[in-house]
Every structure is written in structure tokens, then in C-alpha cells.
């Protein structure tokens, strides 16, 4: 049976509790080992694969995640649609803590990460990336959210930073000038690699805090981040089930 949907969980989302008859599969890829096993199971009638991006014990910081192996393993498992859950900070009005958003653009500020499957051999891989999130899949995600009664902001620009430290106020002010609404550390190179593999890919950003200098931002703590992610994720099981069904 095909995989109807693959889900990559970010900070604070380490499993899909509603998954039934779960089988764990450990993949080796030409790019090394993924962050952990794929948990493949059933959500209703649909087969869904889940991968914890940072590992299930959150041992991998954003700059150490093997994004190439992760996406390759999902494709090896037979996935064609990948829902990326990304914990983020909010920069602009409308993107405050506990908001869920489905960005339609991104700016990449990361560096030094393996960002392509093309190592200079074989045919050049200059994929079109004008619209980094698959438009049709974004629409499916938004429709699934509506059907599940989960409020999701349609659109926004995700700025991917290197981390693992959080940003300075000046860095966030620059990102705001660049047009970013959200800031996270894991959106790239993941989205670009998904495009290289021809996977449908969309991001559901979970706003955990105001980014530095925004809103009523104070010192950002992991407790605050995890508390807001848990609260914002309440509707995720229904949303994912709807998306897997469609
Ligand atoms: N910046 C970058 N990544 C993040 C943040 C942030 O403020 N919050 C959660 N992930």
C-alpha cells in the first residue's frame, strides 16, 4: 500500500499519537542515516509515515540534521507528499504565538549545509524554485485544515536561519525588511531538497514565540516554546488525518 502522506515533525512534535499499527523502518541512504526510524502506520484508511526531524530525543540541532538522508528515506519508503511541521518565531502582525501558518515563500539565510543532491556529477539540477512550497499541495493542506476546523493563516514568508542560537533584534529587523513573517532554523535546505526529488512539499509553521524584538518579546525560553507548540498543536491530529484522506 502506498504512503498517502509523510509528516516531518519539528521541535515539540516527536510522534503522531493517532497512528495505528505502527511499524518502524530504519533506512540507510546514499547520503547516510536519517534522523531516526520512519514510523509507518495507519490513520483511518490511509498509510502515513512520520519522521522526527531532530530525532525522537531531540539530539540533533538544526545545523546537524541530515536533511538529504531524511528526504531520501521518505522517498525510498514511497512517499510523494511531505508535510513539514516547523516550529518558528513570529515577526509580523498576525503571526503571534500559537498561530498556525502555511507560508508560500521563503528566504534562505542558512550556510554550510548540504543543500543539494547534485554533487557535480550527472545532469545539472537547477530546479525551478520560484514557488518553494508546492502550490497544489498547499491548497490541499488549507482545505484539510478547514475541514478539520483548524485555523491556519494562508501565506507568509519563512526566513530560514542557521541557528542553533536565536537571532539578534537587528537580525530580525533585517529579516522584516526582507519581507519575512516567520523565522525558523529548519525550513532549508529541506524544501529545496524536496523539490530536487520531485516531492510535493508544504510547511505548516507552528508559532512558538515572538521573534527577538517583535510583539511583546521577552527572553525566549524553551519552556515557552514547548508550551505554545503543545497548545497550537491541539488540532493537528484531525488536520493530518484529513490531509492523509484527501
Ligand atoms: N527563531 C528561530 N527559530 C525559532 C524561533 C525563533 O525565534 N522560535 C522557534 N524556532
Amino acid at each position: 500500500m502506498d504512503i498517502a502522506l509523510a509528516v516531518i515533525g519539528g521541535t515539540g512534535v516527536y510522534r503522531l499519537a493517532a497512528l495505528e499499527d505502527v511499524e518502524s523502518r530504519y533506512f540507510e541512504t546514499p547520503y547516510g542515516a536519517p534522523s531516526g526510524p520512519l514510523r509507518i502506520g495507519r490513520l483511518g484508511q490511509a498509510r502515513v509515515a512520520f519522521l522526527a526531524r531532530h530525532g525522537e530525543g531531540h539530539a540533533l540541532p538544526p545545523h546537524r540534521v541530515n536533511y538529504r538522508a531524511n528526504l531520501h528515506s521518505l522517498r525510498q519508503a514511497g512517499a510523494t507528499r511531505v508535510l513539514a511541521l516547523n516550529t518558528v518565531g513570529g515577526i509580523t502582525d498576525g503571526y503571534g504565538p500559537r498561530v498556525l501558518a502555511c507560508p508560500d515563500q521563503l528566504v534562505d539565510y542558512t550556510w554550510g549545509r548540504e543543500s543539494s543532491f547534485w554533487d557535480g556529477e550527472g545532469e545539472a539540477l537547477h530546479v525551478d524554485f520560484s514557488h518553494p512550497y508546492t502550490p497544489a499541495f498547499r491548497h490541499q493542506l488549507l482545505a484539510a485544515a478547514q475541514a478539520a476546523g483548524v485555523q491556519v493563516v494562508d501565506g507568509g514568508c519563512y526566513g530560514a536561519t542557521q541557528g542553533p542560537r536565536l537571532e539578534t533584534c537587528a537580525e530580525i529587523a533585517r529579516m522584516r525588511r526582507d519581507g519575512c513573517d516567520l523565522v525558523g532554523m529548519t525550513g532549508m535546505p529541506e524544501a529545496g531538497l524536496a523539490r530536487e526529488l520531485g516531492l510535493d512539499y508544504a510547511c505548516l509553521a507552528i508559532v512558538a514565540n515572538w521573534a527577538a524584538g517583535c510583539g511583546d518579546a521577552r527572553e525566549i525560553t524553551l519552556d515557552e516554546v514547548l508550551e505554545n507548540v503543545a497548545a497550537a498543536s491541539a488540532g493537528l491530529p484531525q488536520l493530518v488525518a484529513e490531509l492523509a484522506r484527501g
Side-chain angles (χ1 to χ4, degrees):
M1 200 169 142
D2 287 343
I3 304 261
L5 180 69
V7 179
I8 302 179
T11 300
V13 184
Y14 303 108
R15 55 192 208 103
L16 285 183
L19 220 51
E20 293 183 290
D21 304 331
V22 181
E23 153 205 7
S24 301
R25 289 188 59 189
Y26 294 81
F27 282 88
E28 263 305 319
T29 80
Y31 306 95
S35 300
L38 287 195
R39 307 290 187 190
I40 301 177
R42 212 170 35 76
L43 266 188
Q45 300 301 311
R47 234 170 139 231
V48 171
F50 178 82
L51 175 65
R53 184 186 287 114
H54 299 280
E56 291 175 357
H58 202 118
L60 294 166
H63 61 297
R64 294 270 184 249
V65 171
N66 189 339
Y67 297 93
R68 295 197 299 182
N70 284 354
L71 287 164
H72 205 274
S73 72
L74 294 177
R75 197 178 68 165
Q76 278 176 243
T80 58
R81 302 195 301 167
V82 179
L83 171 65
L85 305 178
N86 296 88
T87 300
V88 299
I91 298 177
T92 52
D93 287 352
Y95 296 89
R98 303 193 179 190
V99 163
L100 296 176
C102 178
D104 57 357
Q105 274 301 327
L106 67 79
V107 178
D108 186 7
Y109 301 91
T110 66
W111 48 270
R113 302 181 182 189
E114 294 286 0
S115 58
S116 175
F117 291 104
W118 185 40
D119 282 330
E121 282 177 29
E123 218 174 302
L125 257 181
H126 296 296
V127 291
D128 181 89
F129 204 45
S130 310
H131 301 286
Y133 305 107
T134 311
F137 186 43
R138 277 191 74 252
H139 290 128
Q140 290 168 12
L141 170 56
L142 290 163
Q146 198 168 29
V150 178
Q151 214 178 336
V152 174
V153 176
D154 176 1
C157 181
Y158 177 113
T161 56
Q162 177 68 3
R165 66 162 177 82
L166 292 154
E167 300 74 28
T168 66
C169 291
E171 286 167 338
I172 294 294
R174 171 190 168 206
M175 292 178 73
R176 184 194 288 272
R177 290 194 297 276
D178 284 353
C180 297
D181 300 294
L182 303 162
V183 54
M185 301 173 188
T186 52
M188 283 295 283
E190 200 174 89
L193 292 166
R195 180 61 53 84
E196 285 191 353
L197 289 181
L199 298 167
D200 287 342
Y201 181 92
C203 163
L204 184 66
I206 305 171
V207 184
N209 56 276
W210 280 115
C214 301
D216 62 353
R218 288 155 291 139
E219 188 185 337
I220 299 164
T221 65
L222 188 60
D223 283 350
E224 172 195 3
V225 166
L226 294 178
E227 195 181 313
N228 285 332
V229 171
S233 301
L236 275 188
Q238 295 91 317
L239 191 162
V240 171
E242 278 292 336
L243 189 59
R245 228 156 52 95

